[in-house]
Amino acid sequence: MTVRIQTEDFDAGAEIAALRRGNPKIGAVASFIGVVRDSNEGGAVTEMALEHYPGMTEKAIQEIVSQARARWSVLDALVIHRVGRLQPADQIVLVAVTSGHRGDAFAACEFIMDYLKTRAPFWKREATGSGSRWVEARVSDDVAAGRWRLKG
């Protein structure tokens, strides 16, 4: 399990190749790449600045990955999240999960991303033509994460 918070861009292909290299037990790799959009809430976005709490953020993401590994048959997982100033079309996040089977890989990858959006301490500020604004949490993100709650 690898969690990295960084300002530098990443090469998703190289990262995924390294994650699965040499493990013949891997039958599936599921991944997600988040990208900065040029618009949000009906307005143009010229830049996004992401901030985090060093140490706390990594620990929160490691806990999310651990929860995924407890629920599904995950062989390995990688989360790379960028911070700093990003432009539209820049990559923000990579989540990659390896497993013996696609169902576990897909579910774990989606779970990690849903929980990352709602439980990892990141703060986003968007620059627009009329100034900058903090990005508020979305109800739709909470709903997506809520579907993973264990019943009972």
Side-chain angles (χ1 to χ4, degrees), residues 1 61-77 95 97 104-105 107-113 115 148:
M1 164 176 71
I61 296 171
Q62 288 168 350
E63 176 58 29
I64 292 166
V65 173
S66 292
Q67 289 178 35
R69 293 182 84 166
R71 291 178 178 219
W72 296 280
S73 179
V74 171
L75 296 171
D76 205 354
V95 174
V97 175
D104 288 329
C109 185
E110 194 169 11
F111 171 89
I112 292 168
M113 193 58 225
Y115 271 42
W148 299 108

Side-chain angles (χ1 to χ4, degrees), residues 32 34-37 40 45 47-52 81-84 86 92-93 113 116-118 120-127 132-138 141:
F32 172 84
V35 179
V36 178
R37 293 183 306 267
N40 189 25
V45 174
E47 181 180 87
M48 177 182 284
L50 285 109
E51 299 177 16
H52 77 298
H81 204 298
R82 294 181 65 198
V83 292
L86 302 171
I92 304 170
V93 62
M113 193 58 225
L116 213 116
K117 291 282 289 181
T118 59
F122 288 102
W123 297 272
K124 298 177 185 178
R125 191 177 65 243
E126 294 175 334
S132 67
R133 62 180 177 222
W134 289 101
V135 178
E136 298 292 325
R138 292 188 173 135
D141 291 333

